[in-house]
Every structure is written in structure tokens, then in C-alpha cells.
Amino acid sequence: MRTAKLLIASVLAFGLGLGAASAAEAPKPPAQKWAHTGFFGTFDRAELQRGFQVYKEVCAACHAMHQIRYRNLAGIGLSEAEIAAIAKEYEVTDGPNDEGEMFQRPARASDRFKSPFPNQQAARAANGGAYPPDLSLIAKNRVGGENYVYALLTGYKETPPAGVTLMDGMYYNDWFAGHQIGMAPPLSDDRVTYADGTKATLAQQARDVSVFLAWAASPHLEARNSLGVKVMIFLIILAGLLYATKRKVWRDIKH
Amino acid sequence: MAKYDYVPSPFMANSIVKWVDHRLPIFTLIDEQLVKYPAPRNLNYLWNFGSLAGIMLVVMILSGIFLAMNYNPSTAGAFDSVERIMRDVNYGWLIRYIHMNGASMFFIVVYIHILRGLYYGSYKYPREILWWLGIVIFLLMMATAFMGYVLPWGQMSFWGATVITNLFSAFPIVGEHIVLWLWGGFSVDNPTLNRFFALHYLMPFVIAGVVLLHLWALHVHGSNNPLGIDAKGPQDKIPFHPYYTVKDAFGLAVFFIIFAYFVFFSPYTLGHPDNWIEANPLVTPPHIVPEWYFLPFYAVLRAVPDKLGGVLLMFGSIAILFLLPWLDTSRVRSARFRPAYRVFFWLFVICCLALGWAGAMPAEGVPLLVGQVATVWYFLHFLVFLPLLGWFERPLPLPASIAEPVLGGGKAGMVAATKPMEKA
Amino acid sequence: MAQPGSTTITEGEGRKHPDGTTRRDFLYLSAGAFAGTGAVLTGWAFIHSMNPAADVLALASTEVNLAPIAVGQAITVTWRGKPVFVRHRTAEEIAKAKEDDKAALPDPQPDARRVQKPEWLVLVGVCTHLGCVPLGQKPSDAKGDFGGWFCPCHGSHYDTSGRIRRGPAPANLAVPSYAFTNDTTIRIG
């Protein structure tokens, strides 16, 4: 018993140490209900596709997604033909050709998402010095992940609270660290028109694109969950079997 | 110590096994060190953590080798190559999460292993060198983990590397040269990443070598035990196999359940979100923190406003462990019979946790104060409390033998003596 | 575990069933089999990680524009990291290749089976002996005794259909799977 207590105490102790590590300065965004959280979580394909539409028609004007390639869109439920059609809308630089020149060609499924700016400096210059961050991993590299994305997109205030003076070209946002954000409110009701007839409220669009970005950051989440459940069941049975063996082996040993 | 009777396994009687063993006694070695190796009969589950640490080393080496096959150690390619592992390589996400969370698991296991040693006095005569080797392993692990954390080339990788390598600049005269030498340039850059990768790949094998020495030292006098008294005779011991092999296997399965939970369902809670942003030498994250397992040492470093003082104190907090066998003046090993030490042990654990908490917080106000108080306590524990406790503490009476408390008084000892562990 | 003739009984020995097996043996066996299965499956994940990754597979096809290749000319393109020979054959080369269908071939295959359009010969430019790249693409190259390709490593001669005619190579130069996406473009892979 003493051993068990000691063990639990040590584990707890280290657990507490961890909790402290994730302290952050920005306010912690409230957790939303998502279909993809929990042991059996899966993404809603329709939601992902709507979210991709929001990214493509709104966010992509300034934000790159360097880690994502057009072929990855198979993961949100698009067919090969649909992916090829989307890729063809973009021109990418390739080369050098036999004359040694770089040339433009329509993108292929194997290409990365085309970035809105050729490099970080250009992105900064075009956005008043504020670099629009790459969104491929935004749901992993912000405290709160997709909850943060949703909170940020829906957290703009037209008039800042009393006592706060905004700098020129800045906007007030409840969830951004320091509350002054260079990005103008990107979404508004009916900013996009959904093909599936879903009403494009601001909240709906924010939600859809948050799910899309969560997928982009963890495209293997579904595979991970389903394998994880199997592994856990396997390990629990194995531990049970080993416990029975241990009991059996030790039964005549007083200790 | 009398050898107890052992029934030889049919395996050792096999003619091929005999042929090999006559030339290279590897089977005899395994048989003596893992099969019939006599272990105290009263080891509790805290004694599982040594073998767990060994298994974690193997898990880390294996997953690391497969990651290295797809990793590109250059500032231009490192971050993208890790993302490629996560997205495109078959089961790459699984292998990477095993390696990433495995580091945390390895440290949890080793910290419990160390605390167990502290609680039961496993560092005392005749196990001082065993204890030293353990500290060497711990130091090598910290170096390996630090360099491994740089490899994904995220923001925390870069700034962690910058801050930690800059520690060496605290030393007068040679400091600057040491830092330039470590970097291979004028900042943490491509040469630094390259050498860190080379060393990160090498170090685990060095650790494995020291682990062998650690085991060798262990097997000279055998394991300590929860009572902290030496085995008096064969009735106090049982063969390692099957008793402890099966117990270790069960513990391993339970441990893997916890490990798997992190790998599959919570793979990034133990890490810092900033490390999913590619390194940018021009933008420092608002709040640089090391991985959780370094936080207590980070708090010690920041407890002193003086740069050199902080660095010396941090190295001193580990160096002091080497002296522990002589700083602890009590001749009783186990805290079970040391009522006062038991209190100080738990205060020490709380002190370490407080250091961890302070290390995670910005170094100002209350956290800084807590960090400073805990740092003082940490050193007082080793330099003042432990030496004094040995003189002032009245230990509880020790049992006559390991077998006595489990088998009852002297009569039960007789029963044990008739058991087959002894020569028939 | 107890050996015949041994007078000792191991402490903790499981109770014997009438047939001599113990419940302990059964538990050993099932736990061992279970753990072994898990180890093998985990091992598979690690081994599978060495197979071509998704990005490698996605690049598995290459498009080639045939329009600039004059009759008698050949170009080399890269497909899956290997050279692919595309030769615009002359009428004589085609005639020679068809004629040799009847010759003694180490790896018999009619020319018609090796091309989709007779004037375009598409081959993986890797000698089937030990993987060298044969000569014969440039006008100045040695083309071997049969007017096709010649491998300088160990002297294999290929004809105008890319078939092995003499030398140590065991098989003809491989024809990759390809398709004409239009009259002047092929897609390899």
C-alpha cells in the first residue's frame, strides 16, 4: 500500500509540474464542441470542405499553407478529378527548362498550396509590417489550437473597451495576445456562399475554417484515434494476462 | 552468501547451446545475470523503474533510427523534413510521437527511479559507484534530450539552443571561445544543427555503455530493497526469473498503457506549441521555457541574478548528487525506518516540484521568490539536513532479516529455512 | 520445471493438471503469444516507414512533350529518379527492329509489343545487368553492334528496339507504363 501511495504521489507530482509548464499570457479561449475530439473523434467531411472553401476564398489572400499539397485534399473527401481541377486554378513556377529558364505551369496535385506571397519579406511588406502566419500548423502552434482560431475569428470588437487606444491600422480582438491585431476582421455574414446550402453566418464560417485548420495540422488524427483505441484494448488485455501470470507465479511466495 | 539450489533449465542442456557456451559463455551470462540471479524477495513495484528505463532507452534508439532515415539536418530542410515525416512517411506520425513523448516518459521513469533510490537509501555503501554511474547516465540523458529538442528546428528548438549554449559564455575568459566552438559559427546555425544531430545519434549508445556498467555494479552486491537491510541468507532471495521477469513485464504493460495514451490521444500536451513554428532567428518567443523535465534546473539557474552564479549553481545542483553517499551520514538505508528523514524526503520532493513550477513561470515576482526559496532548500537538504539527520535522528528498530517481516517471527524463519531456496 | 531425479521442488510451482500441464504454462503461453503479436505488428509499422512515402508516390508520373524531338533524335528524361530514353526512330531503325523479330534473341519479344506508336520508343535507360546507364542517346555515342545502345560497364549490346542482343545483360531494356495523353505528349507512370 505504501508503495502504491508513493507511486501515485510521484506521478501526480510530476503531473503538476507539467500543468505549470503550459501557462500562457493570452487569455485562454473557451473550448468548443468539436466532432474530432475524444477517443473516437472523426472529422465531418462536409464541414471540412466548407472550411476549405473559406480558406480558399478568404484566408488564402494573405495566409500561406506551406505544408499542405493539393493531393492532401483527398483527406477532406475530394476526388482526384476535383483536386486536379482545384490545382489547375493556380500557376506555379517550375524549371529550369532545357533553355535554363524558369517557367509558369498550372499546379499539379503533388504541388504545395500556392503561397500568396513569394517570401516572408514580401508578405510583411504587403501587410504593413505584420507577417500573416502560415496556417498549416496554426491549430498546433497556438495555445488552445482550433478553439483559439474560432475565438479569434469571432472575437473582434468594433469599438475597443474604454481606456484602450488602438494604434493606427490595428483592430481590437478579445483573444489576441495584447488585444491589438493587424488583421482586419476577415469574416462577416455571407462572406462566402456555401454550395451545400448551409447558411454562411460569421460563426458558421469561423467554425468550418477552424475545423479545416485542425485537420490541416493533424491530417492523421482519424488514423491515430482508430489505431489508438485498438492499441489501448490490446495493452489492457495484455496487462490483464500478465497480471494473472504474475499472481500465479507469485502465489506461493510470501513477500 | 550461500548459493541456493537451482533447477537447470532444459535450454542449457541443449547441445548447440553447450557448444556455443563452451566458446563464448553468453548463455551462462544470461542464465546467471537474468535467470537465476538472486534478487531480494520483497522488492516492490518501485523497483520496476530500472528495467522500464532500460526499455525506454531501447524504444528511443529504435524510433530514433527510423526517424533519422527521413530527417534532414539542415536549417533549410529540418522543419519541413519533420513535417514530411508527420504527413507523408508511412506511420511517420506514430514513430515521431513515440520518440517525442518517449523522451518525456523516459524522464518520468528515471525521476521515479532516482526518487526511489533516495527514499530507500540505495546510494549508500556498497552501492556508491552504482549511484555515480546513475548520475552519469542522467547527465548524458539531459545532453541527449537537449540536442534532440533542437533537431525539429522549431522556435523553441532554436531559442532553447541559443539560451543554453549561451550559459557557457558566463565563464570568464574562455566562455566566449567555448560558445563559438559549440556553435561552429557566430550564432546557432547550420553547423550547430549538424553537430547536434551527429551527437544526438551518438549519445544513446554511450548511455547504453554506461548502463552496462551500471548493471555490472548493481549485480556485484545485488539490489537494495524496501527494508534497506542486506540479505542474510538464501531464504531472503528468489531467482530473478520467473518472479521478477513476470513482474517487470506486467509493470511494462501498465506503463505502455500510459505511454500509448499520450502517443495516440494527447501527443502534444507535453510539448510547447511554439515548437510547431519554424525557427526564426529574428523573432524571440515572448516566453522561452525548456521542456518540462528541465524546469527545476532552469529555476535554479534563474534564482541568482548573477550570470556566472546561476550557471555554477545549476551545475552544482547535479554535482552535489555525487557527494550524496557521504553527505547522508545515517547508516540506516530505508526511509521506512527513518521517521525524520521521511519527512525531509517529502519536503525535498515538494521542493523539486516548486522548482519545476517556478521554472515554468516568468522569472519575476512570486515565482522568482518561490524559485529562490526552493533553491536554497535544495542545497540545505543535501548540505545541512542530511548530515545532521544522521546524528540526531533515532531510527526505528530494523528487522533481523528480509524474510522475517513477511514470514513472521523466528519460527517462520525456520519455515523459510526449510524452503527449497536452500540446499536440500 | 522440476527435472526427473531432482529432489527439489521449486517454490511457487503451479498446481499440476492431470495431464501434466499447469495453468501457469497456459498463462505464459497466451501472454507470450499476445506480446509477440504486438511486437510483430509494431515492427511492421517501423519497417513500413521505409517504403516509399506519400510524396514519393505522388511524383510517380512524368509528362514528356514529344514535339521538339526530331526524327533520329533521342532525349533522356527523369522518371522516379531513373533515366528514361525517348527515341524518335527513323524508318530504317523501325524496319531493322521488325526484321530482327525473327533473329535469335536472348529475351524474345516482337518490336510491336514494345512500342505503342512505331516511331516512338520509350525505355527505362537502365542496363538490366547491373544498373548502369547505357550509351547511345547522343549522336556521338557508341551505339553498339546493333545500332541501339551499348552499356560501357560490361559490354551489353541493345538493338533499335532496346532488346538485348549480346553481352551479360539477361533481359531487354524495360518499357515503362506510359500513355499518349495527346499526339505529342506522353505521360510515363
Side-chain angles (χ1 to χ4, degrees), chain A residues 193-206:
Chain A
T193 312
Y194 285 135
D196 63 2
T198 308
K199 203 166 151 25
T201 60
L202 191 162
Q204 182 68 43
Q205 295 169 70

Side-chain angles (χ1 to χ4, degrees), chain B residues 182-199:
Chain B
L182 281 175
W183 288 342
F186 299 102
S187 63
V188 174
D189 209 333
N190 210 47
T192 327
L193 181 59
N194 249 294
R195 61 188 60 185
F196 278 18
F197 179 54
L199 293 173

Side-chain angles (χ1 to χ4, degrees), chain A residues 120-132 170 182, chain B residues 283:
Chain A
Q120 270 205 28
Q121 286 80 350
R124 228 175 253 286
N127 288 281
Y131 169 61
M170 298 298 249
Chain B
V283 182

Side-chain angles (χ1 to χ4, degrees), chain B residues 71 73-75 146-147 150-151 153 157-158 161-162 165 178-200:
Chain B
Y71 175 69
S74 73
T75 52
F146 163 67
M147 287 189 284
V150 178
L151 302 186
W153 206 241
S157 300
F158 179 85
T162 300
T165 48
I178 293 178
V179 174
L180 284 185
W181 176 76
L182 281 175
W183 288 342
F186 299 102
S187 63
V188 174
D189 209 333
N190 210 47
T192 327
L193 181 59
N194 249 294
R195 61 188 60 185
F196 278 18
F197 179 54
L199 293 173
H200 181 71

Side-chain angles (χ1 to χ4, degrees), chain A residues 26-47:
Chain A
K28 196 170 161 43
Q32 307 292 324
K33 264 196 164 9
W34 307 105
H36 60 268
T37 49
F39 286 96
F40 302 96
T42 52
F43 290 111
D44 176 345
R45 292 291 178 280
E47 204 166 31

Side-chain angles (χ1 to χ4, degrees), chain A residues 198-254:
Chain A
T198 308
K199 203 166 151 25
T201 60
L202 191 162
Q204 182 68 43
Q205 295 169 70
R207 204 185 146 76
D208 291 344
V209 79
S210 303
V211 173
F212 172 71
L213 294 174
W215 166 83
S218 314
H220 292 294
L221 181 134
E222 290 175 351
R224 205 175 77 210
N225 280 350
S226 86
L227 182 59
V229 168
K230 287 173 204 139
V231 168
M232 290 299 246
I233 293 171
F234 171 88
L235 285 174
I236 289 168
I237 296 173
L238 179 64
L241 273 172
L242 286 168
Y243 184 65
T245 316
K246 192 250 159 192
R247 286 280 301 254
K248 191 81 193 158
V249 167
W250 279 79
R251 84 190 259 144
D252 299 330
I253 295 278
K254 293 216 173 68

Side-chain angles (χ1 to χ4, degrees), chain A residues 56-74:
Chain A
K56 184 167 174 274
E57 294 178 14
V58 184
C59 321
C62 302
H63 292 276
M65 286 186 88
H66 177 69
Q67 303 297 344
I68 315 293
R69 296 159 193 273
Y70 293 104
R71 65 179 159 84
N72 294 138
L73 292 172

